[in-house]
């Protein structure tokens, strides 16, 4: 089938089945075309929690689909590419959190959204790149253990009086963005504003004009008077920015890359998922209930 035929078939099935398609900003442009909502991991979790649809098709990575299920477990959640994972999420386990709690009994455990359901279940609260500082500052504790992204932990530590104890995880896409290359690109493009994701290293982030979540990048670029931007995040974000702001210019940093997990979803797989109502993502009940508490706390503080 051609792309347009695939998209038409997906739209038809979506209506018949009362399905909603949630799409992360890093997805392929042809997936944007079939989306009901496109956003960052916080936006999409809120959409998942309040949808009236019977089926949620999640075009993102597994932890995002798991979160949708945890927040709204009466729905059937489909992840078109069942193998689409986030390697950073797998760098910390539930047992690691149990051990950390023993090691730091007075600290709150704050887990990034990019974690498994089991890890969320052992956490006090969850955060995303858009609300991490607010979440940490909302806690009564003097110190927090922050898992798994060390770069985001360092960023948060710069914006709080609390002691932040980082886990040594990182995103392989953001961590390799080179500040030396960014400095060179900045020199050539003197007027361009730099927008960086907080998963980037500090050296890179320090050269940025603005640090924010993926959806925050769209908002910043829309509001900015600048016409040119250098983007420090996964390559798919450039497609989203160009789509939202076709008259502005967006440039990558040469060391930038693509998230393999995010790109595993295709429109063929979305159609297949709707047709077969699979692969289904679920979370065992006891883990779901504990993880939901930590996620609900995040939403409560962020609102
Ligand atoms: P956002 O919540 O900013 O979309 O980030 C998710 C992510 O996985 C970034 O790599
Ligand atoms: Fe995980 Fe990085 Fe991919 Fe985001 S870009 S899903 S943090 S591997």
């Amino acid at each position: 089938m051609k792309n347009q035929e695939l998209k038409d078939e997906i739209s038809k099935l979506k209506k018949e089945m009362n399905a909603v398609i949630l799409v992360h900003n890093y997805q392929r442009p042809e997936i944007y075309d079939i989306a009901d909502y496109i956003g960052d991991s916080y936006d999409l979790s809120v959409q998942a929690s309040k949808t009236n649809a019977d089926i949620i098709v999640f075009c993102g990575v597994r932890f995002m689909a798991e979160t949708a299920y945890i927040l709204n477990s009466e729905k059937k959640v489909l992840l078109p590419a069942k193998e689409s994972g986030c390697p950073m999420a797998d760098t910390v386990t539930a047992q690691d959190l149990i051990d950390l709690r023993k090691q730091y009994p007075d600290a709150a455990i704050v887990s990034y959204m990019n974690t498994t359901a089991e890890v969320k279940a052992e956490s006090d609260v969850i955060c995303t790149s858009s609300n991490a500082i607010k979440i940490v500052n909302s806690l009564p504790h003097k110190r927090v253990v922050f898992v798994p992204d060390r770069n985001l932990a360092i960023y948060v530590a710069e914006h709080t009086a609390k002691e932040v104890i980082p886990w040594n995880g990182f995103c392989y896409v953001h961590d390799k963005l080179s500040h030396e290359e960014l400095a060179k690109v900045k020199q050539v493009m003197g007027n361009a504003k730099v927008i960086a994701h907080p998963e980037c290293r500090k050296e890179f982030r320090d050269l940025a004009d603005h640090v924010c979540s993926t959806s925050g990048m769209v908002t910043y670029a829309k509001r900015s008077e600048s016409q040119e931007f250098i983007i420090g995040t996964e390559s798919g974000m450039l497609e989203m920015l160009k789509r939202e702001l076709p008259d502005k210019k967006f440039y990558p940093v040469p060391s930038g890359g693509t998230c393999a997990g995010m790109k595993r979803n295709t429109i063929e797989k979305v159609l297949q998922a709707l047709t077969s109502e699979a692969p289904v993502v679920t979370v065992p009940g006891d883990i779901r209930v504990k993880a939901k508490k930590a996620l609900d706390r995040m939403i409560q503080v962020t609102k």
Side-chain angles (χ1 to χ4, degrees):
M1 263 198 247
K2 292 209 179 78
N3 268 6
Q4 195 49 52
E5 287 169 352
L6 285 164
K7 288 177 195 170
D8 293 346
E9 189 60 22
I10 289 167
S11 296
K12 186 172 118 260
L13 273 178
K14 195 171 71 170
K15 282 193 202 102
E16 284 171 14
M17 298 169 74
N18 190 26
V20 65
I21 303 185
L22 304 184
V23 172
H24 186 264
N25 287 311
Y26 293 163
Q27 293 292 295
R28 299 166 186 275
E30 60 272 25
I31 294 188
Y32 298 154
D33 294 339
I34 52 160
D36 292 294
Y37 298 98
I38 309 176
D40 62 19
S41 52
Y42 181 75
D43 300 334
L44 296 176
S45 68
V46 173
Q47 289 301 336
S49 72
K50 63 182 193 195
T51 184
N52 292 322
D54 296 314
I55 297 177
I56 299 172
V57 181
F58 212 115
C59 297
V61 287
R62 177 163 290 269
F63 74 79
M64 296 179 175
E66 277 183 353
T67 300
Y69 178 76
I70 293 165
L71 288 169
N72 206 341
S73 58
E74 281 160 25
K75 313 296 178 188
K76 187 178 263 188
V77 178
L78 305 175
L79 180 64
K82 70 172 189 303
E83 69 283 12
S84 57
C86 166
M88 176 164 69
D90 297 326
T91 61
V92 66
T93 65
Q95 186 57 50
D96 291 327
L97 263 62
I98 293 166
D99 295 345
L100 284 163
R101 212 178 268 289
K102 282 194 195 128
Q103 202 181 339
Y104 304 104
D106 62 323
I109 298 193
V110 181
S111 293
Y112 192 25
M113 184 70 100
N114 302 37
T115 45
T116 62
E118 289 78 6
V119 165
K120 287 185 177 73
E122 296 300 330
S123 310
D124 292 308
V125 63
I126 309 303
C127 72
T128 71
S129 61
S130 67
N131 59 22
I133 295 167
K134 191 172 185 182
I135 297 291
V136 168
N137 282 328
S138 75
L139 293 163
H141 308 69
K142 288 204 169 71
R143 55 182 189 165
V144 299
V145 170
F146 193 100
V147 305
D149 188 8
R150 64 184 183 206
N151 293 329
L152 181 58
I154 293 167
Y155 173 64
V156 170
E158 289 170 13
H159 293 88
T160 181
K162 297 178 196 297
E163 183 190 351
V164 179
I165 302 156
W167 187 253
N168 196 20
F170 60 89
C171 163
Y172 74 100
V173 180
H174 289 86
D175 196 71
K176 76 176 166 65
L177 281 167
S178 150
H179 68 283
E180 280 117 353
E181 276 181 8
L182 174 57
K184 280 185 208 152
V185 180
K186 265 177 77 123
Q187 249 181 359
V188 181
M189 321 208 21
N191 292 326
K193 295 273 184 220
V194 179
I195 318 178
H197 197 274
E199 289 176 17
C200 297
R201 284 177 179 241
K202 176 176 166 49
E203 310 86 271
F204 188 95
R205 192 167 39 73
D206 281 348
L207 298 180
D209 295 287
H210 189 61
V211 178
C212 59
S213 77
T214 56
S215 290
M217 294 184 179
V218 178
T219 309
Y220 177 81
K222 273 187 184 163
R223 288 185 187 155
S224 170
E225 280 175 12
S226 183
Q227 296 302 307
E228 296 186 315
F229 303 86
I230 303 164
I231 304 301
T233 191
E234 202 266 352
S235 60
M237 198 61 221
L238 286 136
E239 300 301 328
M240 173 46 62
L241 287 159
K242 286 176 193 163
R243 184 183 173 102
E244 286 291 308
L245 293 156
D247 296 331
K248 296 198 176 189
K249 298 260 177 291
F250 300 94
Y251 303 98
V253 179
S255 55
T258 295
C259 173
M262 285 282 182
K263 296 300 190 282
R264 284 190 197 275
N265 296 304
T266 61
I267 47 171
E268 286 84 357
K269 286 184 188 167
V270 173
L271 179 57
Q272 179 63 31
L274 280 169
T275 318
S276 58
E277 294 194 32
V280 174
V281 172
T282 57
V283 173
D286 52 336
I287 293 170
R288 183 180 62 72
V289 170
K290 284 168 76 185
K292 186 167 186 302
K293 269 193 199 153
L295 280 161
D296 284 344
R297 259 181 222 134
M298 169 186 79
I299 293 175
Q300 202 53 45
V301 174
T302 311
K303 267 200 269 195

